[in-house]
């Protein structure tokens, strides 16, 4: 069974959805039977590549609300994150441009480390409040994964490296109408939009498996 996951590292619901999918795979009994392919989707390709606004400042500007209202808007997301064992730190988060992070993800794929890289970056941003615009943050993850830091630096220093792979993901998203993330595609047949409850993922997994038997 193949599942394509369109997501962004800075997307709060993407990390929640990822955790729900992983839990569903285990609970449904399909561990080691599922291939997960991560697809890059930048929530805001126009975001600054320098130090960005705080998460709350961005929410305030985008929705024209007060700081208190911005806090209330994220409170529900924080509670939803706790349901899957995640403690989000919106106060530490900054608005980020994730192109470099996605390019490096494509590089890690050849070493079978893309899933671990994705987990590490989502945790770094959403839980630890790390700035994904900072190359040192990305390279620290690379080092923890026991990959070649010097080679990773070369990827980051070349703005054209792995751009074609990102463009392919954008094309795929456009072809199936993905406009927001997370978005999950099961065996190129079923789609789940957003961080749906666990039972939705479990049911979809069973439906995909049932189709394989005919």
């Amino acid at each position: 069974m193949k599942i394509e996951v369109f997501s962004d590292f800075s997307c709060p619901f993407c990390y929640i959805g990822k955790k729900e999918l992983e839990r569903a795979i285990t609970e449904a009994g399909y561990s080691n039977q599922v291939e997960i392919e991560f697809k890059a989707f930048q929530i805001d390709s126009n975001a600054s590549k320098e130090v960005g606004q705080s998460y709350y400042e961005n929410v305030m500007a985008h929705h024209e609300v007060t700081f208190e209202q911005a806090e209330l808007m994220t409170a529900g997301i924080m509670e939803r994150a706790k349901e899957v064992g995640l403690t989000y730190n919106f106060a530490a988060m900054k608005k980020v441009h994730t192109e470099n992070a996605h390019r490096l993800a494509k590089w890690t794929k050849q070493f079978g480390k893309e899933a671990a890289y994705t987990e590490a970056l989502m945790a770094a941003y959403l839980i630890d409040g790390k700035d994904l615009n900072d190359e040192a943050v990305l390279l620290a993850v690379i080092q923890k994964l026991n990959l070649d830091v010097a080679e990773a630096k070369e990827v980051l220093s070349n703005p054209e490296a792995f751009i074609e792979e990102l463009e392919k993901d954008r094309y795929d998203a456009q072809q199936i109408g993905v406009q927001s993330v997370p978005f999950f595609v099961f065996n190129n047949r079923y789609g789940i939009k957003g961080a749906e409850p666990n039972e939705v993922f479990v049911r979809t997994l069973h439906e995909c498996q049932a189709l394989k038997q005919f």
Side-chain angles (χ1 to χ4, degrees):
M1 190 185 309
K2 182 176 182 179
I3 303 173
E4 295 165 292
V5 181
F6 290 85
S7 65
D8 199 359
F9 302 111
S10 63
C11 164
F13 287 107
C14 292
Y15 201 9
I16 295 169
K18 177 177 174 294
K19 290 297 186 184
E20 289 287 19
L21 173 63
E22 291 168 352
R23 183 157 66 103
I25 290 171
T26 300
E27 291 183 1
Y30 298 122
S31 298
N32 302 317
Q33 299 179 50
V34 176
E35 175 193 353
I36 296 177
E37 180 179 357
F38 291 98
K39 297 278 194 174
F41 188 103
Q42 289 179 257
I43 293 176
D44 185 0
S45 59
N46 295 315
S48 172
K49 293 185 179 181
E50 305 300 326
V51 177
Q53 290 177 308
S54 76
Y55 194 92
Y56 286 130
E57 286 173 340
N58 181 67
V59 172
M60 288 164 64
H62 185 73
H63 295 284
E64 298 183 346
V65 297
T66 65
F67 178 79
E68 290 73 19
Q69 289 171 319
E71 282 190 311
L72 285 174
M73 290 173 70
T74 57
I77 303 174
M78 291 175 72
E79 289 303 310
R80 180 71 178 91
K82 287 179 181 178
E83 293 176 5
V84 295
L86 302 174
T87 303
Y88 282 175
N89 186 3
F90 285 106
M93 293 180 205
K94 297 271 193 297
K95 183 71 175 175
V96 292
H97 192 289
T98 55
E99 182 176 273
N100 280 344
H102 281 297
R103 291 196 301 112
L104 208 52
K106 297 303 180 185
W107 174 75
T108 67
K109 187 175 181 179
Q110 63 188 303
F111 308 108
K113 294 291 184 73
E114 189 176 25
Y117 174 87
T118 298
E119 173 67 26
L121 245 61
M122 286 184 169
Y125 178 77
L126 294 159
I127 295 174
D128 300 330
K130 300 289 188 181
D131 183 2
L132 301 190
N133 282 342
D134 186 351
E135 289 188 2
V137 172
L138 304 181
L139 294 173
V141 170
I142 294 301
Q143 186 170 35
K144 287 181 180 178
L145 295 177
N146 295 316
L147 295 176
D148 190 322
V149 174
E151 190 174 338
K153 282 183 179 180
E154 290 181 7
V155 172
L156 292 174
S157 66
N158 178 5
E160 296 303 314
F162 296 94
I163 282 294
E164 285 188 13
E165 285 80 353
L166 300 196
E167 291 176 348
K168 172 67 165 54
D169 286 353
R170 280 193 284 269
Y171 175 79
D172 289 346
Q174 291 170 357
Q175 288 297 104
I176 61 177
V178 177
Q179 296 180 331
S180 62
V181 288
F183 196 94
F184 305 84
V185 180
F186 293 71
N187 279 350
N188 206 31
R189 180 182 292 266
Y190 295 105
I192 293 179
K193 178 182 177 181
E196 291 288 341
N198 180 256
E199 56 267 23
V200 175
F201 286 95
V202 171
R203 182 172 66 247
T204 305
L205 287 164
H206 286 317
E207 288 174 355
C208 286
Q209 184 65 20
L211 280 174
K212 289 176 63 178
Q213 299 173 7
F214 293 96

